[in-house]
Amino acid sequence: MVIGLMGSGKTTAGRLIGTALGLPFSDSDPYLQTKYGGTAAQLAAREGADALHRYEAEHVLRELAGEPKVIAAAASTVEDPRVRAAMRDAFVVWVDASDAVLAERMKSSDHRPDFGPAAMRARREPYFREVADLIADVGILHPEQVRDAVLRKMGLPTPDQD
């Protein structure tokens, strides 16, 4: 499972990790689009942040209950105690960067709601720390380096060790 604030690169790192592990990848963005007919930004505007966060938690709980896969979990999900409890059985990597880096990355896509990283970090950082098995600084590490750090932490060879 890959967690982190918006703009941290959960999708990119998650896809690489999934490929390396031979596991399917599941991301909240396509789930929201398919099941609820909108992006996170559209759902937040249309139904409010609380509804969006319920949908994001639903995604993670559903995926954790199914077959093994790599999941990119929306940052809001760590606020839900049911999700944190379910994450205890998963390997969780927290992809993080400075607020300045994340704020710049958030501007790159209109599918993200307009939430600032500092406020989100203040609320969620204790939960990220609680569930994370590995913290990867994506302000320094490239996605491939995040994948390799996860594989090493899991005791598996990295692609360059094959």
Side-chain angles (χ1 to χ4, degrees):
M1 168 161 298
V2 183
I3 60 170
L5 296 173
M6 282 189 294
S8 61
K10 296 180 294 286
T11 300
T12 302
R15 281 191 181 121
L16 289 169
I17 295 164
T19 298
L21 296 174
L23 293 172
F25 174 69
S26 179
D27 188 344
S28 63
D29 291 333
Y31 175 83
L32 294 172
Q33 188 71 46
T34 300
K35 182 145 186 187
Y36 295 104
T39 64
Q42 291 167 336
L43 293 170
R46 185 172 71 212
E47 299 181 42
D50 289 343
L52 169 64
H53 297 162
R54 275 194 317 277
Y55 302 155
E56 291 169 334
E58 171 189 292
H59 165 250
V60 172
L61 291 169
R62 179 177 156 242
E63 295 296 0
L64 283 172
E67 294 298 315
K69 62 186 62 77
V70 175
I71 305 162
S76 69
T77 62
V78 297
E79 292 185 57
D80 186 319
R82 298 169 305 145
V83 173
R84 289 195 310 277
M87 285 181 180
R88 288 189 184 108
D89 293 329
F91 182 91
V92 179
V93 59
W94 173 20
V95 288
D96 193 26
S98 71
D99 290 347
V101 167
L102 295 178
E104 189 59 35
R105 288 180 174 190
M106 283 183 207
K107 295 176 188 175
S108 70
S109 179
D110 61 2
H111 76 277
R112 297 182 173 117
D114 189 20
F115 303 144
M120 289 188 304
R121 180 181 305 283
R123 266 194 343 262
R124 298 173 179 156
E125 184 169 1
Y127 300 129
F128 287 146
R129 290 194 183 283
E130 177 186 330
V131 299
D133 295 296
L134 175 69
I135 301 170
D137 183 345
V138 295
I140 299 168
L141 299 174
H142 295 287
E144 295 80 9
Q145 292 170 306
V146 172
R147 174 205 58 210
D148 292 351
V150 168
L151 295 173
R152 281 192 298 276
K153 181 78 173 181
M154 296 176 90
L156 300 170
T158 60
D160 61 345
Q161 292 176 318
D162 291 339

